[in-house]
Amino acid sequence: MNLSLVDPFVLAHDCPETLIESLHSGHSTCIRFNRKGDLLASGRLDGTISIFDIETSGVARKLRGHTRQVQSLSWSSCGRYLLSASQDWKCVLWDLKDGSRVRTVRFEAAVFIAELHPANHLLFVAALFEDQPVLVDLSGDIPVKRTLPSAPKRTQAERDNPTEKQLAQDAKQTTTVTIFSPSGKHILTGTNRGWLNIIETSSCETLCSTRLTNCVVILLRLTQSGRNLVVNSSDRVIRTLHLPDLDNKSLDFENLRIENEHKYQDIVNHLSWNHVTFSASGEYIVASILMQQHLYVWETGQGSLEKILEGPKEELSVVEWHPHKPILAACGMDSGLIFIWSIVAPQRWSALAPDFAEVEENQEYVEREDEFDVHPVEEIHKRILHQEDEEIDVLTLDSSKRQGTFEEGDFQMPVLLDIDNSDSDDDLVGVGAGQYRRKSPGQGKEWALEDGAAGPASGDDQSNPRTPIKSNNSPRSRSANTNR
C-alpha cells in the first residue's frame, strides 16, 4: 500500500484489528519473522521450509532437508542464516544466499526447540526430548556439543545438606525450552518441574534458579530489550517477569530473586494457552488458545485484556508478532494455513493531487476564470518536454520511510525464478507451456534417500552439494508402461 494514501493517525495504531489474508504453502506447523520483518519462515509437516515475502505474500524460497515435522525456526541477526529443528533428530543451518545446507547436526533424541546465538550464527542451543540441553559450536570442522545443566541451583544451605527427595527431584529435571539473552552471554532455560535457570554461555554453569510453577514450562520469550520475559506453562497461567540487566558485572546472582509481574489466565473457563509472544514494542502480549479460534491480546502495563481477535473456524497454534509493524501471523491447526491480522487503513485520496480535497457534503463548485482556456499547441508541447527533462530518482531509498532498524549493508535474499521454488501447487509439476502433471510419489526427495533410510542416528555431518537422481516417471515412460 502507498504510504502517502494512508491516514497517519491510523499508522500510529500498534495493535492489529482484523483478519486480512491467509498464506498457503503446505501444512505449516511453526513460523518465525526475521529481524527486518520482510520475510516469514514457515516449517511444514513434511519437513519442508517455505520462506514467504511479506510484501507480496508469495513464496520466495523452499528449503528441503528434513524428513519429519519441523519443530522450531530461528533466524540469525543478519537475516542470512536460518536454523531449523525437526522431529527427525536433526538441526540444519541454512544459508539463504543460495538455499544450501551449511551444517547438519544429528542428536540422540528429538529436538524440542533450537535457538541461534544473536551474534554468532555458528553457535546455537537446543533442548532435547528427555535429555539434557546442549550448546553446539559449529565453528570447527566437527561440531562441538557441550551439555548444559537442567537441575536448578539450590541455596547454600540446601547444597550443604541435600535430602534424598531433593536429589531425586534434581535427577528427574529435564529442560523443555532454551533461549539466549539479547547479548548472547546468558542462556535462559525452563524445566519440566517449573524452574527458570539462568546459565552463563561461556562456562555453561547455572548462575541463578527461580521456581515459577510446579508444572512444565512450555515457552519462554523475551522482548527486544531483554528486560521482560513471558512464560507459558502447563498450569494454564501466562506469567510476565521483569529481569535485571544480566550483563551488569555488579549483579549478585546468588541473591537474585525474580518475581512475577503479572499473571494472565481465564478464571471462568480455565483456558489453556498454545503459544504466546510479545509485540514489537513489548506493550502487548498475544496468546492462542487450546480448542479455540480466537487470539487474546493483553496490555502489559496494567495486565488488562485489550481485545479478543476473531480468527478462522479452526484452532490456532503458533502465533508471531511482526518485529516492526502491527501484524500478527498464526498457524491453523487443521488446515495448516498461515493467517494474517493487521490494520485496515482507509486511504486518503486527497494525497493524489495537491489541489484535491475531501469534503463531508456536496458543495457548489466555482469555476476559475482561466480554468478551461484553450492554450496554443506549441505551449502545451513545451510544457510536456520540460516535464520529460526532469530526472526522477527511483533507486535511492528514503531513510525516513524505511521500516525497521536495519542498515544498507544488511543481507537481501536473492529472488529465484524457478517453477519448483515458486508459489505453485506442491502436487503439480510444470512439463510445458501451460501443461502440468501430478508429481510422482517421492519425487523431489532424493536427498532423503541419499542421507540414508536407517532413521535418526547420532553423529554430525557437513552438507555438500549432491547430484539429483533422475526420475523415470516421465509422461513418455508412463505411456510406454501403459501400452505394455
Side-chain angles (χ1 to χ4, degrees):
M1 180 182 295
N2 193 342
L3 292 179
S4 61
L5 300 181
V6 180
D7 190 350
F9 294 100
V10 176
L11 291 178
H13 295 175
D14 53 359
C15 188
E17 298 176 349
T18 310
L19 178 64
I20 58 173
E21 65 174 335
S22 62
L23 308 178
H24 171 64
S25 179
H27 194 289
S28 179
T29 57
C30 62
I31 53 177
R32 200 72 180 268
F33 284 102
N34 66 340
R35 183 174 62 94
K36 292 191 296 183
D38 58 340
L39 299 176
L40 175 66
S42 167
R44 298 179 0 185
L45 189 65
D46 59 356
T48 305
I49 301 172
S50 300
I51 309 296
F52 287 93
D53 182 81
I54 298 301
E55 193 69 24
T56 62
S57 300
V59 177
R61 175 161 291 174
K62 292 181 182 178
L63 309 174
R64 296 177 173 88
H66 293 290
T67 57
R68 295 184 182 179
Q69 174 181 327
V70 179
Q71 287 289 104
S72 70
L73 297 167
S74 177
W75 289 87
S76 63
S77 58
C78 64
R80 175 175 175 176
Y81 300 96
L82 178 68
L83 179 69
S84 60
S86 173
Q87 291 182 357
D88 59 2
W89 302 8
K90 292 190 301 183
C91 286
V92 179
L93 181 63
W94 304 89
D95 186 357
L96 296 184
K97 184 176 182 180
D98 53 4
S100 62
R101 285 181 282 174
V102 179
R103 300 297 289 271
T104 301
V105 181
R106 292 187 175 93
F107 297 96
E108 297 289 344
V111 184
F112 273 135
I113 187 173
E115 189 83 9
L116 274 177
H117 191 278
N120 183 8
H121 69 275
L122 296 178
L123 187 67
F124 72 91
V125 62
L128 307 180
F129 179 72
E130 294 184 351
D131 204 346
Q132 300 302 318
V134 291
L135 180 65
V136 183
D137 187 2
L138 303 176
S139 58
D141 296 336
I142 301 177
V144 178
K145 301 177 182 178
R146 301 172 63 186
T147 303
L148 302 177
S150 293
K153 186 176 182 179
R154 303 286 183 172
T155 61
Q156 187 63 39
E158 292 175 337
R159 282 178 286 179
D160 294 338
N161 300 310
T163 62
E164 294 183 0
K165 181 179 180 181
Q166 173 185 327
L167 295 175
Q169 290 179 351
D170 292 348
K172 295 179 180 179
Q173 294 276 354
T174 58
T175 299
T176 55
V177 59
T178 57
I179 59 172
F180 279 104
S181 64
S183 64
K185 296 181 180 180
H186 299 89
I187 302 173
L188 282 72
T189 66
T191 69
N192 61 338
R193 301 285 181 173
W195 284 88
L196 173 66
N197 298 327
I198 300 178
I199 303 174
E200 189 177 18
T201 305
S202 58
S203 62
C204 295
E205 295 181 356
T206 304
L207 301 178
C208 175
S209 297
T210 302
R211 187 72 176 268
L212 301 177
T213 176
N214 294 325
C215 301
V216 181
V217 177
I218 302 175
L219 182 68
L220 300 175
R221 189 62 65 89
L222 284 168
T223 56
Q224 296 181 3
S225 63
R227 301 302 297 272
N228 294 291
L229 175 70
V230 61
V231 181
N232 184 24
S233 56
S234 59
D235 60 355
R236 304 181 181 184
V237 178
I238 298 174
R239 297 169 174 85
T240 54
L241 314 173
H242 182 71
L243 300 179
D245 185 6
L246 300 179
D247 298 334
N248 189 0
K249 297 181 180 180
S250 61
L251 182 63
D252 185 11
F253 285 97
E254 290 290 341
N255 299 320
L256 179 62
R257 295 294 178 266
I258 302 175
E259 302 294 338
N260 292 325
E261 186 177 12
H262 293 293
K263 290 185 179 181
Y264 307 90
Q265 57 183 329
D266 192 322
I267 302 177
V268 177
N269 300 319
H270 297 283
L271 299 175
S272 297
W273 314 105
N274 287 335
H275 199 270
V276 62
T277 187
F278 274 111
S279 65
S281 60
E283 297 179 359
Y284 302 98
I285 61 172
V286 59
S288 57
I289 313 168
L290 180 66
M291 303 298 294
Q292 296 286 338
Q293 65 269 25
H294 307 303
L295 293 177
Y296 277 44
V297 181
W298 291 278
E299 191 265 333
T300 58
Q302 302 295 329
S304 59
L305 181 64
E306 179 73 13
K307 64 176 63 177
I308 300 177
L309 296 177
E310 296 290 336
K313 296 181 179 180
E314 63 175 309
E315 180 183 353
L316 301 173
S317 56
V318 179
V319 57
E320 291 291 339
W321 200 300
H322 193 278
H324 308 294
K325 300 179 181 179
I327 297 176
L328 271 175
C331 297
M333 189 75 75
D334 299 330
S335 64
L337 297 176
I338 301 175
F339 299 97
I340 305 295
W341 286 260
S342 185
I343 297 175
V344 179
Q347 295 183 349
R348 294 184 305 124
W349 298 108
S350 58
L352 293 174
D355 56 348
F356 187 88
E358 296 180 0
V359 295
E360 297 292 338
E361 298 179 355
N362 293 334
Q363 298 179 0
E364 183 178 356
Y365 180 73
V366 179
E367 178 183 341
R368 298 194 309 270
E369 182 178 356
D370 59 344
E371 184 172 0
F372 297 102
D373 291 350
V374 178
H375 298 280
V377 180
E378 294 79 5
E379 184 178 352
I380 297 177
H381 185 64
K382 289 181 180 180
R383 293 179 181 179
I384 296 176
L385 293 178
H386 180 70
Q387 293 177 356
E388 291 179 352
D389 292 338
E390 297 180 0
E391 295 184 359
I392 301 176
D393 187 5
V394 296
L395 299 178
T396 305
L397 296 177
D398 187 359
S399 58
S400 62
K401 297 182 179 181
R402 299 178 65 192
Q403 299 290 333
T405 58
F406 50 91
E407 300 177 355
E408 293 289 343
D410 284 352
F411 171 76
Q412 297 288 337
M413 191 177 70
V415 178
L416 294 183
L417 301 178
D418 188 357
I419 190 172
D420 185 49
N421 295 307
S422 64
D423 192 17
S424 59
D425 196 334
D426 295 334
D427 296 333
L428 300 178
V429 179
V431 295
Q435 299 179 356
Y436 298 89
R437 66 173 176 84
R438 289 287 178 182
K439 183 181 293 186
S440 303
Q443 183 176 349
K445 295 186 178 181
E446 294 82 2
W447 50 266
L449 300 176
E450 295 183 7
D451 286 345
S458 61
D460 313 300
D461 65 326
Q462 184 170 356
S463 301
N464 295 320
R466 303 182 185 274
T467 303
I469 301 175
K470 295 183 178 179
S471 175
N472 295 326
N473 295 309
S474 62
R476 182 176 298 178
S477 62
R478 288 191 299 169
S479 175
N481 294 333
T482 304
N483 297 332
R484 202 182 319 174

